[in-house]
Amino acid sequence: MEYCSKNSRKSSVRGFTLLELLVVMVIIGLLAAYVGPKYFSQVGKSEVKMAQAQIDSLEKALHQYRLDVGSYPTTDQGLNALVARPGSEPKWQGPYLSKTPPSDPWGKPYQYKYPGEHAEFDLFSLGKDGQPGGTGEAADIANW
């Protein structure tokens, strides 16, 4: 058996050179630049789909309210009529939602108008920008 002291043993551990590290960082940066925009565009699409699903759910609750009460809540009563009895409404059999009406995916309340301009009632979100109209993620999402 051969005995080697610390000083006589050759080191076989080799580190990365600065050039190798820079090449790897450039490759990672290029991949991030290619994948990042595609990923973030999907996030915007999912927010739009979530708003559409929430509007559909609120619409169903409003239809149930109308079946019980005989009419939709007024614009002044708003969507809160789905969780709390409005005034002294004798036919109200709610709550029609398990909790307060949600905000849209961008943190703004859904807009509700009865009677509606486009349908029997108008239920909509103004989109990401919070302004009427728009395109893409900024477009209005509505029940009509």
Side-chain angles (χ1 to χ4, degrees), residues 3-128:
Y3 177 75
C4 296
S5 69
K6 288 184 181 179
N7 295 335
S8 67
R9 198 172 8 158
K10 289 186 178 179
S11 177
S12 63
V13 178
R14 181 177 171 261
F16 292 106
T17 66
L18 181 59
L19 181 61
E20 289 171 331
L21 287 174
L22 288 174
V23 169
V24 169
M25 290 179 65
V26 166
I27 291 171
I28 291 172
L30 290 171
L31 287 172
Y34 178 72
V35 173
K38 292 182 184 261
Y39 171 76
F40 288 112
S41 71
Q42 294 301 320
V43 171
K45 288 179 186 175
S46 68
E47 289 173 334
V48 169
K49 287 182 181 180
M50 179 188 290
Q52 290 169 336
Q54 287 176 332
I55 285 175
D56 185 52
S57 176
L58 290 169
E59 224 181 345
K60 289 176 182 170
L62 285 164
H63 291 313
Q64 185 63 44
Y65 179 97
R66 184 187 59 99
L67 286 173
D68 289 347
V69 175
S71 67
Y72 293 106
T74 65
T75 302
D76 291 337
Q77 292 170 334
L79 297 175
N80 287 329
L82 299 173
V83 291
R85 181 185 303 269
S88 59
E89 181 56 62
K91 297 179 184 177
W92 191 84
Q93 296 179 22
Y96 301 95
L97 294 174
S98 58
K99 52 187 174 181
T100 60
S103 297
D104 68 14
W106 302 280
K108 299 173 187 87
Y110 283 101
Q111 307 293 310
Y112 172 74
K113 293 180 184 175
Y114 177 75
E117 297 172 15
H118 304 280
E120 197 166 2
F121 61 86
D122 291 348
L123 180 60
F124 59 98
S125 166
L126 295 174
K128 186 175 185 174

